[in-house]
Amino acid sequence: MILLTSTSDLIQLINTPTSGDIEVHASWIDNNAGTITPGRTNTASITGATTTTIVGSPGASTQRNVKFISIFNNHASVASIININHTDGTNVERLLNVTLQLSEGIIFVDSIGWQRLNSSGVPQVAGLTGPVDVRIFSTAGANTWTKPTTFTPK
């Protein structure tokens, strides 16, 4: 969950290098004393090294709950370094720093968090490179081992 709770709170995207084509969509709900109002922003393509507000501040006495953010590198030949920051008007806190290769994306989904997508739109999972080896070995003495006869996965 990303909350914007004051009229100074923003979510900003900082893009480098100077060329690029970053496309951004954000969706949220505003809560003003129990009145729920949905909202969204489709940010124009970000094509230079710049700081861009991708989720604006809520109105007075309103809490904005960011539900979804989609960021894609639509450039044909340039990777982009993307920083996503939350600012309250005084303090800037980094939420995410990622390099997006050609046609890669990153999404934020409320209750799930950030997820990187490859150029085919498939979620990338860090650290998984192949099947996990589930063989279990136990030793009966020095320089010997006994193959288990049963296996019960947990």
Side-chain angles (χ1 to χ4, degrees):
M1 174 182 323
I2 300 175
L3 293 177
L4 306 180
T5 60
S6 79
T7 58
S8 300
D9 286 0
L10 299 170
I11 303 294
Q12 297 177 318
L13 181 146
I14 301 171
N15 178 44
T16 41
T18 57
S19 62
D21 184 7
I22 303 301
E23 298 177 348
V24 180
H25 168 84
S27 299
W28 62 83
I29 59 169
D30 285 347
N31 183 346
N32 184 342
T35 300
I36 305 298
T37 307
R40 53 116 177 106
T41 300
N42 290 320
T43 303
S45 288
I46 303 167
T47 58
T50 185
T51 300
T52 305
T53 297
I54 60 172
V55 180
S57 300
S61 303
T62 302
Q63 292 183 334
R64 179 162 289 168
N65 183 351
V66 178
K67 302 302 244 172
F68 181 79
I69 299 173
S70 171
I71 303 166
F72 277 91
N73 179 3
N74 196 38
H75 200 277
S77 61
V78 176
S80 288
I81 300 169
I82 304 295
N83 289 303
I84 303 297
N85 295 332
H86 178 284
T87 179
D88 61 8
T90 302
N91 299 304
V92 177
E93 300 298 332
R94 181 175 293 168
L95 301 179
L96 177 73
N97 178 16
V98 64
T99 299
L100 293 180
Q101 300 299 325
L102 316 179
S103 299
E104 285 187 338
I106 190 97
I107 59 173
F108 171 83
V109 179
D110 188 33
S111 78
I112 294 175
W114 295 100
Q115 192 168 35
R116 188 176 182 144
L117 305 175
N118 68 19
S119 60
S120 297
V122 177
Q124 296 180 12
V125 180
L128 296 181
T129 58
V132 177
D133 186 354
V134 293
R135 293 177 291 172
I136 299 174
F137 297 95
S138 60
T139 60
N143 299 322
T144 64
W145 65 276
T146 304
K147 181 179 176 182
T149 57
T150 62
F151 172 71
T152 306
K154 293 184 180 184

mmCIF file of all heavy atoms in Angstrom, residues 74-110:
data_model
loop_
_atom_site.group_PDB
_atom_site.id
_atom_site.type_symbol
_atom_site.label_atom_id
_atom_site.label_comp_id
_atom_site.label_asym_id
_atom_site.label_seq_id
_atom_site.Cartn_x
_atom_site.Cartn_y
_atom_site.Cartn_z
ATOM 1 N N ASN A 74 9.409 1.916 -23.463
ATOM 2 C CA ASN A 74 8.933 1.699 -24.821
ATOM 3 C C ASN A 74 9.967 2.111 -25.878
ATOM 4 O O ASN A 74 9.652 2.193 -27.051
ATOM 5 C CB ASN A 74 7.621 2.461 -25.039
ATOM 6 C CG ASN A 74 6.886 1.986 -26.274
ATOM 7 O OD1 ASN A 74 6.868 0.798 -26.574
ATOM 8 N ND2 ASN A 74 6.293 2.910 -26.993
ATOM 9 N N HIS A 75 11.202 2.374 -25.452
ATOM 10 C CA HIS A 75 12.232 2.796 -26.403
ATOM 11 C C HIS A 75 12.791 1.588 -27.152
ATOM 12 O O HIS A 75 12.918 0.502 -26.601
ATOM 13 C CB HIS A 75 13.359 3.542 -25.687
ATOM 14 C CG HIS A 75 14.170 4.386 -26.607
ATOM 15 N ND1 HIS A 75 15.194 3.879 -27.357
ATOM 16 C CD2 HIS A 75 14.092 5.702 -26.905
ATOM 17 C CE1 HIS A 75 15.727 4.840 -28.083
ATOM 18 N NE2 HIS A 75 15.068 5.966 -27.830
ATOM 19 N N ALA A 76 13.136 1.784 -28.418
ATOM 20 C CA ALA A 76 13.614 0.691 -29.271
ATOM 21 C C ALA A 76 15.062 0.304 -29.020
ATOM 22 O O ALA A 76 15.474 -0.797 -29.366
ATOM 23 C CB ALA A 76 13.429 1.073 -30.736
ATOM 24 N N SER A 77 15.870 1.195 -28.398
ATOM 25 C CA SER A 77 17.290 0.868 -28.278
ATOM 26 C C SER A 77 17.965 1.361 -27.003
ATOM 27 O O SER A 77 19.165 1.161 -26.848
ATOM 28 C CB SER A 77 18.050 1.437 -29.489
ATOM 29 O OG SER A 77 17.929 2.845 -29.526
ATOM 30 N N VAL A 78 17.251 1.994 -26.087
ATOM 31 C CA VAL A 78 17.878 2.597 -24.914
ATOM 32 C C VAL A 78 17.267 2.045 -23.628
ATOM 33 O O VAL A 78 16.050 2.075 -23.454
ATOM 34 C CB VAL A 78 17.711 4.137 -24.939
ATOM 35 C CG1 VAL A 78 18.272 4.771 -23.674
ATOM 36 C CG2 VAL A 78 18.378 4.726 -26.167
ATOM 37 N N ALA A 79 18.127 1.545 -22.732
ATOM 38 C CA ALA A 79 17.698 1.163 -21.395
ATOM 39 C C ALA A 79 17.549 2.435 -20.558
ATOM 40 O O ALA A 79 18.208 3.442 -20.826
ATOM 41 C CB ALA A 79 18.708 0.222 -20.750
ATOM 42 N N SER A 80 16.691 2.397 -19.552
ATOM 43 C CA SER A 80 16.481 3.568 -18.692
ATOM 44 C C SER A 80 16.592 3.180 -17.230
ATOM 45 O O SER A 80 16.100 2.130 -16.821
ATOM 46 C CB SER A 80 15.102 4.180 -18.930
ATOM 47 O OG SER A 80 15.053 4.838 -20.160
ATOM 48 N N ILE A 81 17.243 4.050 -16.467
ATOM 49 C CA ILE A 81 17.302 3.891 -15.020
ATOM 50 C C ILE A 81 16.120 4.656 -14.449
ATOM 51 O O ILE A 81 15.959 5.851 -14.694
ATOM 52 C CB ILE A 81 18.624 4.423 -14.446
ATOM 53 C CG1 ILE A 81 19.794 3.665 -15.051
ATOM 54 C CG2 ILE A 81 18.624 4.318 -12.921
ATOM 55 C CD1 ILE A 81 21.145 4.273 -14.755
ATOM 56 N N ILE A 82 15.289 3.954 -13.696
ATOM 57 C CA ILE A 82 14.056 4.521 -13.148
ATOM 58 C C ILE A 82 14.169 4.574 -11.627
ATOM 59 O O ILE A 82 14.475 3.573 -10.982
ATOM 60 C CB ILE A 82 12.841 3.649 -13.530
ATOM 61 C CG1 ILE A 82 12.734 3.468 -15.036
ATOM 62 C CG2 ILE A 82 11.568 4.196 -12.923
ATOM 63 C CD1 ILE A 82 12.466 4.718 -15.800
ATOM 64 N N ASN A 83 13.936 5.746 -11.071
ATOM 65 C CA ASN A 83 13.805 5.909 -9.621
ATOM 66 C C ASN A 83 12.382 6.364 -9.337
ATOM 67 O O ASN A 83 11.898 7.305 -9.966
ATOM 68 C CB ASN A 83 14.781 6.960 -9.082
ATOM 69 C CG ASN A 83 16.204 6.468 -9.112
ATOM 70 O OD1 ASN A 83 16.519 5.442 -8.531
ATOM 71 N ND2 ASN A 83 17.059 7.189 -9.800
ATOM 72 N N ILE A 84 11.734 5.697 -8.396
ATOM 73 C CA ILE A 84 10.400 6.094 -7.949
ATOM 74 C C ILE A 84 10.554 6.600 -6.521
ATOM 75 O O ILE A 84 11.077 5.890 -5.656
ATOM 76 C CB ILE A 84 9.407 4.919 -7.986
ATOM 77 C CG1 ILE A 84 9.328 4.314 -9.372
ATOM 78 C CG2 ILE A 84 8.029 5.376 -7.495
ATOM 79 C CD1 ILE A 84 8.803 5.242 -10.429
ATOM 80 N N ASN A 85 10.110 7.841 -6.296
ATOM 81 C CA ASN A 85 10.239 8.473 -4.983
ATOM 82 C C ASN A 85 8.888 8.898 -4.441
ATOM 83 O O ASN A 85 7.988 9.254 -5.205
ATOM 84 C CB ASN A 85 11.137 9.720 -5.073
ATOM 85 C CG ASN A 85 12.559 9.377 -5.437
ATOM 86 O OD1 ASN A 85 13.048 8.300 -5.144
ATOM 87 N ND2 ASN A 85 13.226 10.301 -6.094
ATOM 88 N N HIS A 86 8.781 8.872 -3.111
ATOM 89 C CA HIS A 86 7.643 9.456 -2.397
ATOM 90 C C HIS A 86 8.173 10.709 -1.705
ATOM 91 O O HIS A 86 9.203 10.656 -1.038
ATOM 92 C CB HIS A 86 7.102 8.478 -1.354
ATOM 93 C CG HIS A 86 5.968 9.025 -0.551
ATOM 94 N ND1 HIS A 86 6.153 9.935 0.464
ATOM 95 C CD2 HIS A 86 4.651 8.795 -0.632
ATOM 96 C CE1 HIS A 86 4.965 10.237 0.988
ATOM 97 N NE2 HIS A 86 4.045 9.553 0.347
ATOM 98 N N THR A 87 7.507 11.823 -1.907
ATOM 99 C CA THR A 87 7.896 13.044 -1.209
ATOM 100 C C THR A 87 6.702 13.594 -0.448
ATOM 101 O O THR A 87 5.560 13.487 -0.897
ATOM 102 C CB THR A 87 8.464 14.112 -2.170
ATOM 103 O OG1 THR A 87 8.807 15.278 -1.406
ATOM 104 C CG2 THR A 87 7.488 14.484 -3.258
ATOM 105 N N ASP A 88 6.977 14.168 0.711
ATOM 106 C CA ASP A 88 5.927 14.835 1.481
ATOM 107 C C ASP A 88 6.083 16.355 1.388
ATOM 108 O O ASP A 88 5.503 17.092 2.159
ATOM 109 C CB ASP A 88 5.940 14.383 2.940
ATOM 110 C CG ASP A 88 7.250 14.691 3.659
ATOM 111 O OD1 ASP A 88 8.116 15.403 3.095
ATOM 112 O OD2 ASP A 88 7.416 14.229 4.807
ATOM 113 N N GLY A 89 6.871 16.805 0.432
ATOM 114 C CA GLY A 89 7.118 18.222 0.254
ATOM 115 C C GLY A 89 8.420 18.668 0.901
ATOM 116 O O GLY A 89 8.981 19.690 0.534
ATOM 117 N N THR A 90 8.914 17.869 1.853
ATOM 118 C CA THR A 90 10.172 18.177 2.526
ATOM 119 C C THR A 90 11.165 17.028 2.368
ATOM 120 O O THR A 90 12.293 17.222 1.946
ATOM 121 C CB THR A 90 9.931 18.446 4.028
ATOM 122 O OG1 THR A 90 9.008 19.527 4.155
ATOM 123 C CG2 THR A 90 11.224 18.810 4.743
ATOM 124 N N ASN A 91 10.723 15.842 2.719
ATOM 125 C CA ASN A 91 11.587 14.662 2.672
ATOM 126 C C ASN A 91 11.258 13.829 1.438
ATOM 127 O O ASN A 91 10.091 13.608 1.123
ATOM 128 C CB ASN A 91 11.387 13.808 3.929
ATOM 129 C CG ASN A 91 11.732 14.573 5.181
ATOM 130 O OD1 ASN A 91 12.844 15.078 5.315
ATOM 131 N ND2 ASN A 91 10.784 14.690 6.088
ATOM 132 N N VAL A 92 12.310 13.357 0.768
ATOM 133 C CA VAL A 92 12.153 12.497 -0.400
ATOM 134 C C VAL A 92 12.686 11.120 -0.038
ATOM 135 O O VAL A 92 13.838 10.991 0.391
ATOM 136 C CB VAL A 92 12.919 13.059 -1.620
ATOM 137 C CG1 VAL A 92 12.811 12.113 -2.802
ATOM 138 C CG2 VAL A 92 12.407 14.446 -1.975
ATOM 139 N N GLU A 93 11.841 10.096 -0.198
ATOM 140 C CA GLU A 93 12.241 8.723 0.106
ATOM 141 C C GLU A 93 12.127 7.874 -1.146
ATOM 142 O O GLU A 93 11.099 7.900 -1.823
ATOM 143 C CB GLU A 93 11.359 8.126 1.215
ATOM 144 C CG GLU A 93 11.428 8.880 2.520
ATOM 145 C CD GLU A 93 12.807 8.901 3.150
ATOM 146 O OE1 GLU A 93 13.596 7.951 2.910
ATOM 147 O OE2 GLU A 93 13.111 9.860 3.873
ATOM 148 N N ARG A 94 13.180 7.144 -1.451
ATOM 149 C CA ARG A 94 13.181 6.275 -2.630
ATOM 150 C C ARG A 94 12.356 5.028 -2.343
ATOM 151 O O ARG A 94 12.567 4.345 -1.351
ATOM 152 C CB ARG A 94 14.599 5.890 -3.008
ATOM 153 C CG ARG A 94 14.644 5.008 -4.259
ATOM 154 C CD ARG A 94 16.039 4.725 -4.711
ATOM 155 N NE ARG A 94 16.625 5.966 -5.165
ATOM 156 C CZ ARG A 94 17.915 6.124 -5.408
ATOM 157 N NH1 ARG A 94 18.750 5.133 -5.228
ATOM 158 N NH2 ARG A 94 18.374 7.281 -5.818
ATOM 159 N N LEU A 95 11.423 4.721 -3.238
ATOM 160 C CA LEU A 95 10.635 3.501 -3.146
ATOM 161 C C LEU A 95 11.208 2.391 -4.021
ATOM 162 O O LEU A 95 11.082 1.221 -3.705
ATOM 163 C CB LEU A 95 9.180 3.763 -3.576
ATOM 164 C CG LEU A 95 8.409 4.819 -2.795
ATOM 165 C CD1 LEU A 95 7.013 4.970 -3.371
ATOM 166 C CD2 LEU A 95 8.352 4.470 -1.317
ATOM 167 N N LEU A 96 11.828 2.792 -5.143
ATOM 168 C CA LEU A 96 12.298 1.799 -6.111
ATOM 169 C C LEU A 96 13.392 2.403 -6.974
ATOM 170 O O LEU A 96 13.324 3.578 -7.334
ATOM 171 C CB LEU A 96 11.125 1.369 -7.008
ATOM 172 C CG LEU A 96 11.428 0.380 -8.128
ATOM 173 C CD1 LEU A 96 11.680 -1.012 -7.552
ATOM 174 C CD2 LEU A 96 10.283 0.343 -9.113
ATOM 175 N N ASN A 97 14.390 1.597 -7.304
ATOM 176 C CA ASN A 97 15.434 1.973 -8.262
ATOM 177 C C ASN A 97 15.660 0.757 -9.143
ATOM 178 O O ASN A 97 16.032 -0.314 -8.643
ATOM 179 C CB ASN A 97 16.713 2.360 -7.534
ATOM 180 C CG ASN A 97 17.826 2.714 -8.489
ATOM 181 O OD1 ASN A 97 17.596 2.960 -9.664
ATOM 182 N ND2 ASN A 97 19.048 2.739 -7.990
ATOM 183 N N VAL A 98 15.410 0.889 -10.450
ATOM 184 C CA VAL A 98 15.514 -0.252 -11.346
ATOM 185 C C VAL A 98 15.974 0.217 -12.722
ATOM 186 O O VAL A 98 15.645 1.329 -13.144
ATOM 187 C CB VAL A 98 14.166 -1.009 -11.442
ATOM 188 C CG1 VAL A 98 13.095 -0.163 -12.060
ATOM 189 C CG2 VAL A 98 14.303 -2.318 -12.184
ATOM 190 N N THR A 99 16.746 -0.618 -13.410
ATOM 191 C CA THR A 99 17.088 -0.362 -14.798
ATOM 192 C C THR A 99 16.159 -1.190 -15.664
ATOM 193 O O THR A 99 16.122 -2.415 -15.544
ATOM 194 C CB THR A 99 18.549 -0.744 -15.098
ATOM 195 O OG1 THR A 99 19.407 0.049 -14.267
ATOM 196 C CG2 THR A 99 18.892 -0.490 -16.562
ATOM 197 N N LEU A 100 15.401 -0.512 -16.519
ATOM 198 C CA LEU A 100 14.489 -1.193 -17.429
ATOM 199 C C LEU A 100 15.146 -1.303 -18.793
ATOM 200 O O LEU A 100 15.484 -0.292 -19.410
ATOM 201 C CB LEU A 100 13.166 -0.441 -17.555
ATOM 202 C CG LEU A 100 12.294 -0.396 -16.305
ATOM 203 C CD1 LEU A 100 11.021 0.373 -16.583
ATOM 204 C CD2 LEU A 100 11.988 -1.792 -15.807
ATOM 205 N N GLN A 101 15.342 -2.524 -19.245
ATOM 206 C CA GLN A 101 15.866 -2.763 -20.586
ATOM 207 C C GLN A 101 14.747 -2.521 -21.599
ATOM 208 O O GLN A 101 13.619 -2.187 -21.235
ATOM 209 C CB GLN A 101 16.412 -4.190 -20.685
ATOM 210 C CG GLN A 101 17.545 -4.493 -19.718
ATOM 211 C CD GLN A 101 18.753 -3.611 -19.928
ATOM 212 O OE1 GLN A 101 19.085 -3.227 -21.052
ATOM 213 N NE2 GLN A 101 19.436 -3.268 -18.839
ATOM 214 N N LEU A 102 15.033 -2.703 -22.857
ATOM 215 C CA LEU A 102 14.063 -2.470 -23.919
ATOM 216 C C LEU A 102 12.798 -3.293 -23.690
ATOM 217 O O LEU A 102 12.873 -4.489 -23.442
ATOM 218 C CB LEU A 102 14.670 -2.843 -25.270
ATOM 219 C CG LEU A 102 16.100 -2.364 -25.524
ATOM 220 C CD1 LEU A 102 16.583 -2.825 -26.864
ATOM 221 C CD2 LEU A 102 16.187 -0.879 -25.379
ATOM 222 N N SER A 103 11.652 -2.646 -23.731
ATOM 223 C CA SER A 103 10.334 -3.273 -23.592
ATOM 224 C C SER A 103 10.085 -3.927 -22.240
ATOM 225 O O SER A 103 9.119 -4.656 -22.090
ATOM 226 C CB SER A 103 10.088 -4.288 -24.707
ATOM 227 O OG SER A 103 10.135 -3.645 -25.958
ATOM 228 N N GLU A 104 10.938 -3.689 -21.256
ATOM 229 C CA GLU A 104 10.682 -4.215 -19.914
ATOM 230 C C GLU A 104 9.798 -3.247 -19.143
ATOM 231 O O GLU A 104 9.699 -2.070 -19.479
ATOM 232 C CB GLU A 104 11.984 -4.427 -19.147
ATOM 233 C CG GLU A 104 12.761 -5.626 -19.591
ATOM 234 C CD GLU A 104 13.964 -5.893 -18.701
ATOM 235 O OE1 GLU A 104 14.455 -4.972 -18.018
ATOM 236 O OE2 GLU A 104 14.422 -7.032 -18.720
ATOM 237 N N GLY A 105 9.180 -3.763 -18.086
ATOM 238 C CA GLY A 105 8.322 -2.931 -17.267
ATOM 239 C C GLY A 105 8.410 -3.292 -15.804
ATOM 240 O O GLY A 105 9.004 -4.300 -15.423
ATOM 241 N N ILE A 106 7.806 -2.449 -15.003
ATOM 242 C CA ILE A 106 7.677 -2.687 -13.572
ATOM 243 C C ILE A 106 6.274 -2.256 -13.190
ATOM 244 O O ILE A 106 5.776 -1.250 -13.688
ATOM 245 C CB ILE A 106 8.771 -1.944 -12.774
ATOM 246 C CG1 ILE A 106 8.787 -2.398 -11.315
ATOM 247 C CG2 ILE A 106 8.642 -0.462 -12.839
ATOM 248 C CD1 ILE A 106 9.821 -3.434 -11.045
ATOM 249 N N ILE A 107 5.618 -3.050 -12.349
ATOM 250 C CA ILE A 107 4.285 -2.679 -11.896
ATOM 251 C C ILE A 107 4.241 -2.714 -10.377
ATOM 252 O O ILE A 107 4.984 -3.455 -9.732
ATOM 253 C CB ILE A 107 3.184 -3.589 -12.486
ATOM 254 C CG1 ILE A 107 3.402 -5.063 -12.101
ATOM 255 C CG2 ILE A 107 3.085 -3.419 -13.995
ATOM 256 C CD1 ILE A 107 2.266 -5.984 -12.509
ATOM 257 N N PHE A 108 3.381 -1.866 -9.827
ATOM 258 C CA PHE A 108 3.064 -1.907 -8.412
ATOM 259 C C PHE A 108 1.599 -2.281 -8.303
ATOM 260 O O PHE A 108 0.743 -1.647 -8.935
ATOM 261 C CB PHE A 108 3.295 -0.546 -7.731
ATOM 262 C CG PHE A 108 2.765 -0.514 -6.324
ATOM 263 C CD1 PHE A 108 3.511 -1.019 -5.280
ATOM 264 C CD2 PHE A 108 1.499 -0.014 -6.055
ATOM 265 C CE1 PHE A 108 3.013 -1.010 -3.988
ATOM 266 C CE2 PHE A 108 0.995 0.009 -4.765
ATOM 267 C CZ PHE A 108 1.752 -0.497 -3.726
ATOM 268 N N VAL A 109 1.311 -3.313 -7.532
ATOM 269 C CA VAL A 109 -0.060 -3.735 -7.292
ATOM 270 C C VAL A 109 -0.277 -3.713 -5.780
ATOM 271 O O VAL A 109 0.484 -4.340 -5.038
ATOM 272 C CB VAL A 109 -0.334 -5.144 -7.859
ATOM 273 C CG1 VAL A 109 -1.760 -5.570 -7.576
ATOM 274 C CG2 VAL A 109 -0.032 -5.193 -9.347
ATOM 275 N N ASP A 110 -1.310 -2.978 -5.342
ATOM 276 C CA ASP A 110 -1.625 -2.900 -3.920
ATOM 277 C C ASP A 110 -1.782 -4.304 -3.354
ATOM 278 O O ASP A 110 -2.391 -5.159 -3.973
ATOM 279 C CB ASP A 110 -2.920 -2.100 -3.730
ATOM 280 C CG ASP A 110 -3.211 -1.819 -2.267
ATOM 281 O OD1 ASP A 110 -2.269 -1.642 -1.487
ATOM 282 O OD2 ASP A 110 -4.412 -1.765 -1.917
#
